[in-house]
Amino acid sequence: MLRGSQELFEGIKGAYPRAMFKSVGYTKEDLRKPIIGVVSAWSELHPGSYSNKELAQFVKAGIWAAGGTPVEFHTIAVCDAIAQGLGMHYSLPSREVMAAEIEVMVGSGGFDGLVLLPSCDKSPVAMLMAAARLNIPTIFLPPGPMLSHFDENGEQRIMSDIKEAMGAIKKQLITDEQFEDVESDTCATVGVCGMMGTGNTMGCLIEALGMSLPETATTPTVYAEKRRQAKKTGERIVEMIRENLRPRQILTPANLDNAIRFLMAMGGSTNVILHLPALAREAGFELSLDRIDELSGATPCVAKFKPSSKFTLWDFFQAGGVGAILGILEPLIQKDVLTVTGETISAYSRKVRNSDAIRSLNDPYHPQGGIVILKGNLAPDGAVIKVSGIKNPPNRQVGTAKTFDSEEDLMDHIMNKEIKPGDVLVIRYEGPAGGPGMRELSIPAALLTGMGLGDSVAMITDGRFSGATKGFCIGHVTPEAHVRGPIAIVHDGDSIEINLEQKQLNLLISPEEMVERFAKLPPRKPPMDTGFLGLYSRNVGQANHGALL
């Protein structure tokens, strides 16, 4: 049972903590008010986290004004754009560290409520998991996207343009000077990258779940309005404490169903298929891949953003943001779910402003959601593909397997060997346990796109892909190779069937051949024996259950 501030500070036994708080400037009167943790994923390492330290000051001003006492602390803030290659082993595991950091600080302290300021990638879901786990009044302030530079053609540049430029310069499709321009101009300001990657997908989902105030997810980080939103967020958490409004009243099965529909409608990141089951588990219920696929099949995709289209998060903001899609989805979502405002999610709905970025239910980009769950003898427990990131995906195709036992092996092949249309690149031992850490293969995927092969060469992995990935990329294959999943027995030259119409992913060999290959499969040593990654590798679950420790 968590302690509240009054239990922490009351009576003679409260003298120790009172003395500690007084030593840093809090008064006796301050300690009689609700004590509110202001928790930001802050660092100087990347633009998604950089502004949180400043935004936290505006949150604190709102808390003071409403009669509360703010207490600020920080968590780590890993950025997937930096944590590439070997660093990517730490990205997904950082989710568990961040959730545990917040749990430890709150469990050892005496907080009455929390304001959580995520950055991007894993911090938003880590904070959602912590909020559900702790279940004290909690509200979020998503940082919002950065602004973009425009290239000579009037197109906005985003981070995925750099990855694709890497493939283009390898094929000598652009000059060194053009490559330098892309690198220098992509990030115009601080904020979350202006594409529908995991950072913005999760920020939008936080708002769609009603865990932040309306219109907070897509308001650019550098806007003055973001500072006003921060103050209002600080004021609102004090009211939530008085109302005793808690996360598990909001994070219900019905609301996560709404979140899935929202995700599918906006063509969001495949990483969320990993995170929502983990969040559900923390909130006290189960969310299966079958349920996600059922809702995806019944939800049209009405929006697509870079790199899957020309539209960026700036265009999404201009079109009305999260509320605009919620308004379109009103006939499909459950409208009586509660939010941090104390009202239902219906209060978040907005009309689409003049824009081509968001379509209607009657004229969608795709008749079903942007993400599809595949199963079959190659992925008995499921695999994930973002069909909204593929141009004219075929209903069925069969390709020839080329196998790789790490991302490094794949990168060497892409950079030095011939790849031709129809190849199926199978990358294994990159799952949660086998990687460890379920690395994202966004750079190899972007290289293929930059080389003009993104829609004709498939990638299949027990690792994952970035929300910014486009092309024929199938991730989250479970069971993973490290636990002797079928992906471990694929051979070079095997035929692999990808059937989007029937949602199948199959290795085209006989059952008898599969049994024989499994019998010959040698045992594999743990990828890590020591440190946090060793602990993670030994204890992490499979991707279809959220890769939880």
Side-chain angles (χ1 to χ4, degrees):
M1 191 72 174
L2 295 173
R3 297 178 298 171
S5 63
Q6 295 313 301
E7 182 180 354
L8 178 66
F9 295 128
E10 69 181 6
I12 295 174
K13 67 182 178 63
Y16 251 44
R18 289 198 302 268
M20 295 291 103
F21 272 74
K22 287 179 179 179
S23 73
V24 294
Y26 293 97
T27 67
K28 178 173 61 177
E29 289 73 24
D30 294 335
L31 301 184
R32 290 173 178 161
K33 300 173 183 177
I35 305 297
I36 298 163
V38 179
V39 189
S40 65
W42 175 81
S43 79
E44 294 182 334
L45 201 62
H46 60 93
S49 66
Y50 190 82
S51 63
N52 276 343
K53 190 174 185 180
E54 179 196 2
L55 291 174
Q57 308 317 306
F58 287 89
V59 170
K60 289 157 67 176
I63 293 172
W64 284 120
T69 297
V71 178
E72 183 180 2
F73 64 92
H74 300 153
T75 73
I76 60 174
V78 172
C79 171
D80 280 12
I82 296 170
Q84 292 292 323
L86 294 175
M88 188 55 68
H89 288 297
Y90 288 94
S91 177
L92 181 59
S94 76
R95 185 188 75 179
E96 314 306 310
V97 174
M98 280 183 272
E101 277 188 302
I102 297 169
E103 177 192 352
V104 167
M105 287 294 287
V106 174
S108 61
F111 295 97
D112 300 303
L114 295 171
V115 179
L116 301 178
L117 291 81
S119 59
C120 43
D121 296 316
K122 306 304 166 286
S123 71
V125 69
M127 289 183 168
L128 281 168
M129 290 165 61
R133 187 182 301 175
L134 294 165
N135 201 34
I136 63 173
T138 301
I139 190 170
F140 282 71
L141 179 68
M146 63 174 58
L147 299 181
S148 302
H149 277 295
F150 289 80
D151 65 18
E152 62 277 6
N153 299 316
E155 294 289 325
Q156 296 178 64
R157 283 185 171 148
I158 61 167
M159 280 300 292
S160 62
D161 293 329
I162 292 180
K163 298 174 185 177
E164 292 175 19
M166 292 164 65
I169 197 168
K170 181 185 181 299
K171 296 284 283 186
Q172 298 182 333
L173 300 175
I174 59 174
T175 66
D176 290 344
E177 290 77 13
Q178 288 173 316
F179 186 79
E180 174 69 22
D181 286 345
V182 174
E183 178 183 323
S184 300
D185 292 345
T186 294
C187 298
T189 69
V190 296
V192 181
C193 300
M195 59 192 176
M196 193 54 79
T198 305
N200 279 312
T201 299
M202 287 305 307
C204 290
L205 273 178
I206 285 170
E207 183 181 330
L209 282 165
M211 288 298 294
S212 69
L213 294 178
E215 303 184 11
T216 50
T218 57
T219 300
T221 306
V222 296
Y223 267 31
E225 175 60 17
K226 179 61 68 176
R227 280 100 192 115
R228 293 191 288 270
Q229 290 172 352
K231 282 186 178 180
K232 292 174 184 176
T233 298
E235 293 168 354
R236 179 57 192 155
I237 187 60
V238 178
E239 296 170 348
M240 288 175 64
I241 292 169
R242 292 169 180 153
E243 296 164 7
N244 197 27
L245 179 55
R246 297 171 181 257
R248 291 197 183 189
Q249 294 172 261
I250 298 169
L251 299 173
T252 61
N255 208 357
L256 260 67
D257 278 0
N258 285 350
I260 294 164
R261 287 192 183 275
F262 178 84
L263 169 70
M264 300 307 171
M266 73 168 181
S269 168
T270 54
N271 279 315
V272 180
I273 307 303
L274 189 67
H275 299 323
L276 286 179
L279 174 59
R281 184 74 64 88
E282 295 287 1
F285 57 92
E286 297 293 324
L287 175 62
S288 69
L289 292 186
D290 290 339
R291 179 60 176 164
I292 292 172
D293 194 51
E294 177 187 351
L295 290 167
S296 176
T299 308
C301 178
V302 298
K304 291 168 66 171
F305 300 98
K306 263 198 166 189
S308 298
S309 77
K310 65 179 182 179
F311 300 113
T312 67
L313 263 289
W314 168 255
D315 298 307
F316 191 22
F317 169 65
Q318 292 287 87
V322 170
I325 290 183
L326 288 175
I328 288 172
L329 291 177
E330 276 200 340
L332 301 178
I333 64 174
Q334 301 179 65
K335 294 183 282 293
D336 58 348
V337 296
L338 199 58
T339 72
V340 293
T341 66
E343 300 179 83
T344 68
I345 197 66
S346 296
Y348 286 58
S349 293
R350 302 287 185 271
K351 289 185 177 180
V352 178
R353 296 194 281 262
N354 292 332
S355 173
D356 297 326
I358 303 174
R359 296 184 177 182
S360 69
L361 289 178
N362 295 324
D363 181 32
Y365 284 100
H366 304 284
Q368 64 175 24
I371 295 172
V372 172
I373 307 300
L374 305 176
K375 290 191 175 182
N377 70 1
L378 189 53
D381 295 333
V384 177
I385 182 170
K386 184 175 177 178
V387 294
S388 61
I390 308 171
K391 291 181 181 178
N392 303 315
N395 286 333
R396 180 182 184 271
Q397 71 179 66
V398 175
T400 303
K402 291 183 177 179
T403 61
F404 308 90
D405 286 351
S406 70
E407 179 186 2
E408 287 74 19
D409 289 347
L410 171 67
M411 285 291 290
D412 180 69
H413 187 87
I414 291 174
M415 301 303 288
N416 299 302
K417 304 284 179 64
E418 181 183 355
I419 296 176
K420 60 183 184 298
D423 284 347
V424 178
L425 309 180
V426 178
I427 310 96
R428 57 209 177 183
Y429 299 106
E430 289 289 2
M438 202 178 180
R439 290 193 290 179
E440 70 167 38
L441 305 182
S442 62
I443 286 183
L447 283 171
L448 291 175
T449 297
M451 295 162 67
L453 296 169
D455 294 314
S456 60
V457 172
M459 297 175 67
I460 298 175
T461 182
D462 51 9
R464 58 190 178 88
F465 292 98
S466 163
T469 299
K470 64 180 178 180
F472 228 106
C473 300
I474 300 171
H476 305 210
V477 171
T478 50
E480 63 175 296
H482 186 69
V483 298
R484 299 176 69 84
I487 193 173
I489 63 168
V490 179
H491 290 179
D492 287 349
D494 283 344
S495 293
I496 292 178
E497 175 197 32
I498 304 167
N499 192 321
L500 298 182
E501 184 175 24
Q502 297 182 7
K503 300 181 180 179
Q504 288 284 304
L505 180 63
N506 290 308
L507 176 61
L508 299 182
I509 62 174
S510 69
E512 293 77 16
E513 174 70 11
M514 290 192 75
V515 170
E516 184 177 337
R517 289 190 187 184
F518 273 120
K520 294 178 179 178
L521 187 65
R524 189 173 177 88
K525 293 181 180 179
M528 299 278 182
D529 288 327
T530 60
F532 176 67
L533 287 183
L535 180 149
Y536 185 87
S537 178
R538 292 190 297 272
N539 294 281
V540 69
Q542 290 294 284
N544 58 313
H545 296 300
L548 279 166
L549 282 179

